[in-house]
Amino acid sequence: MTRLAWFNCFSGIAGDMALGALLDAGADVAEVERWCRRLPVRGWTLRSEPVLRAGLAATRAVVAVESDGHPHRRAADILQLIAGAGLPPRAAQRAIATFEVLAEVEGRLHGVPPPEVRFHELGAVDSIVDIVGVCVALELLEVDEISASAVVHGTGTIRAAHGVLPNPPPAVVALLARAAIPSQGLDEPRELTTPTGAALLAALGGSFGPIPAMVPAATGFGAGGRDPDGRPNVVQVVVGDVAAGSDAGFGGQGQDAVVLEATVDDATGETLAYAVVRLLEEGAFDAWTVPVTMKKGRPGHVLTVLTDPVRAPRLREILSAETGSFGVRAHPVQRWPSARRFAQVDVGGQTIRIKVSGGRAKAEHDDVAQAARALRLPLREVAARAETAWRLSPEPAEGRPPAEGSPPGAGPQS
């Protein structure tokens, strides 16, 4: 069996809410704090509080910081703190992956190389403890895979370190888009999903949609700081078992998806290529073309799009507009996406992301192409060097025994 944690983000998600939900589901707060104490960061305590949110009993995780004089930290510094803290291997990998996706998105938004990104709210002590605490709590509950529902947002504006920002914040939108996480807005003038919560889902989530086929073993509710009327300000987590061998923690059910298709015989190759790019930019899971022979022997193409049902109406409009097709057909399908995460390696001074899933590692094409041009090397050579660098790094060595004192589930997974 595989142990899965499914987060129900019907009121959004934040780092402290995710941690509170896992504590409410049975992770021991004292044990979480003991592991977080290995971080070379001082001046904080962690406690859990039973609270009510719109009449629903929940747990609030509170990181109390002695002073606000902590420095803004670079992403590279935070990654070093986590890597050197002696955490359970899988917890450390998850925490590092979360900060890596944050650095990637924040760097792109502010025009800064990812290692040099300086975190403000996210670099504060409480946010570091929230993220590492979530990853440790997942180990205490022996969670192998993470899934989540669609994520909701509020409206209006919020105030952040950079000033007034739209709600949802740009970093949240970019993080959800990066992992193709479905989302929707609510007419509530407050921040519902924070960058910390979105980063945890983007880095650790393997699949997104309704609760999968599973046998629940525990559930918990993690509370936010406010108690507004009309909606419990909580995130729910359901921890349970799924049959071994089912990808991404889904049993026989799978994740709902929609396939859109249009058959055209008067579109150029350039037009079809541009349509595929536009569809992927708008959040399609995948898009591709297949050559076909149409009536009267005319050559044509079928352009196919795989998407979340929430995005299907918008992608149907793009498919029709970009190809000029007189019609688009659709049919529902199910998919079983494998959990994946990103690592980074250095090839000749060029940073290349590596997509890792089920023991397989593949270098990201865009990064490889950029590095190949910079290094004046063949594309295949750069890809081979990147994947070899990942295999030789300490990260893939998941067969080693857990560190002394590691919590259950910290060792190799079968």
Side-chain angles (χ1 to χ4, degrees), residues 225-247:
R226 295 184 297 265
D227 186 17
D229 295 332
R231 177 185 294 270
N233 184 23
V234 300
V235 65
Q236 180 188 23
V237 69
V238 180
V239 179
D241 295 319
V242 297
S246 60
D247 292 340

Side-chain angles (χ1 to χ4, degrees), residues 180 258 260 276 279-280 283-288 303-308 315 335:
V258 172
L260 304 172
V276 169
L279 292 162
L280 294 174
F285 293 141
D286 205 351
W288 62 93
L303 200 164
T304 305
V305 186
L306 179 65
T307 178
D308 186 277
L315 296 183
R335 70 176 197 142

Side-chain angles (χ1 to χ4, degrees), residues 45-63:
T45 57
L46 172 64
R47 69 178 187 274
S48 62
E49 298 178 348
V51 297
L52 289 176
R53 293 292 181 261
L56 183 66
T59 294
R60 187 181 178 206
V62 180
V63 179

Side-chain angles (χ1 to χ4, degrees), residues 325-349:
S325 174
F326 289 128
V328 175
R329 56 190 174 272
H331 60 271
V333 297
Q334 291 184 325
R335 70 176 197 142
W336 289 262
S338 298
R340 77 286 307 269
R341 57 189 172 81
F342 281 88
Q344 289 185 349
V345 297
D346 182 276
V347 175

Side-chain angles (χ1 to χ4, degrees), residues 142-157:
E142 302 185 18
V143 171
D144 302 309
E145 297 183 5
I146 295 91
S147 179
S149 70
V151 177
V152 301
H153 307 293
T155 60
T157 60

Side-chain angles (χ1 to χ4, degrees), residues 146-208:
I146 295 91
S147 179
S149 70
V151 177
V152 301
H153 307 293
T155 60
T157 60
I158 61 171
R159 183 167 294 278
H162 295 290
V164 176
L165 296 176
N167 185 21
V172 169
V173 175
L175 285 161
L176 298 182
R178 182 188 187 281
I181 301 174
S183 63
Q184 65 185 72
L186 295 178
D187 189 16
E188 295 190 21
R190 58 190 176 92
E191 186 178 23
L192 299 178
T193 296
T194 68
T196 310
L200 286 165
L201 296 183
L204 309 182
S207 53
F208 304 96

Side-chain angles (χ1 to χ4, degrees), residues 14-338:
D16 60 338
M17 294 169 68
L19 178 55
L22 294 168
L23 296 177
D24 202 48
D28 184 73
V29 64
E31 192 71 0
V32 171
E33 182 177 24
R34 183 177 73 83
W35 281 100
C36 289
R37 287 288 174 198
R38 296 196 174 197
L39 294 165
V41 177
R42 301 294 176 260
W44 61 271
T45 57
L46 172 64
R47 69 178 187 274
S48 62
E49 298 178 348
V51 297
L52 289 176
R53 293 292 181 261
L56 183 66
T59 294
R60 187 181 178 206
V62 180
V63 179
V65 182
E66 293 178 0
S67 69
D68 59 0
H70 297 279
H72 293 169
R73 291 178 168 86
R74 297 184 313 136
D77 298 330
I78 295 175
L79 296 178
Q80 288 181 355
L81 291 179
I82 297 171
L87 299 171
R90 190 166 61 172
Q93 291 168 6
R94 285 170 169 168
I96 288 171
T98 302
F99 274 105
E100 283 179 341
V101 298
L102 275 170
E104 176 192 333
V105 166
E106 291 284 356
R108 188 165 66 248
L109 288 173
H110 301 293
V112 179
E116 299 302 318
V117 168
R118 291 188 177 273
F119 293 116
H120 302 284
E121 292 94 338
L122 297 173
V125 172
D126 55 346
S127 294
I128 296 175
V129 176
D130 282 342
I131 289 175
V132 175
V134 165
C135 297
V136 169
L138 290 169
E139 286 302 290
L140 294 175
L141 296 175
E142 302 185 18
V143 171
D144 302 309
E145 297 183 5
I146 295 91
S147 179
S149 70
V151 177
V152 301
H153 307 293
T155 60
T157 60
I158 61 171
R159 183 167 294 278
H162 295 290
V164 176
L165 296 176
N167 185 21
V172 169
V173 175
L175 285 161
L176 298 182
R178 182 188 187 281
I181 301 174
S183 63
Q184 65 185 72
L186 295 178
D187 189 16
E188 295 190 21
R190 58 190 176 92
E191 186 178 23
L192 299 178
T193 296
T194 68
T196 310
L200 286 165
L201 296 183
L204 309 182
S207 53
F208 304 96
I211 186 169
M214 63 190 300
V215 179
T219 187
F221 294 92
R226 295 184 297 265
D227 186 17
D229 295 332
R231 177 185 294 270
N233 184 23
V234 300
V235 65
Q236 180 188 23
V237 69
V238 180
V239 179
D241 295 319
V242 297
S246 60
D247 292 340
F250 287 92
Q253 180 179 352
Q255 178 187 3
D256 290 335
V258 172
V259 169
L260 304 172
E261 289 182 337
T263 304
V264 294
D265 62 0
D266 57 353
T268 66
E270 293 89 345
T271 297
L272 294 172
Y274 179 76
V276 169
V277 170
R278 285 280 289 117
L279 292 162
L280 294 174
E281 288 176 344
E282 289 290 333
F285 293 141
D286 205 351
W288 62 93
T289 62
V290 176
V292 294
T293 301
M294 302 174 62
K295 61 184 179 181
K296 300 180 181 179
R298 292 197 302 264
H301 289 83
V302 176
L303 200 164
T304 305
V305 186
L306 179 65
T307 178
D308 186 277
V310 174
R311 300 181 188 271
R314 171 60 177 157
L315 296 183
R316 177 178 58 80
E317 293 177 356
I318 295 173
L319 180 57
S320 179
E322 295 296 346
T323 64
S325 174
F326 289 128
V328 175
R329 56 190 174 272
H331 60 271
V333 297
Q334 291 184 325
R335 70 176 197 142
W336 289 262
S338 298

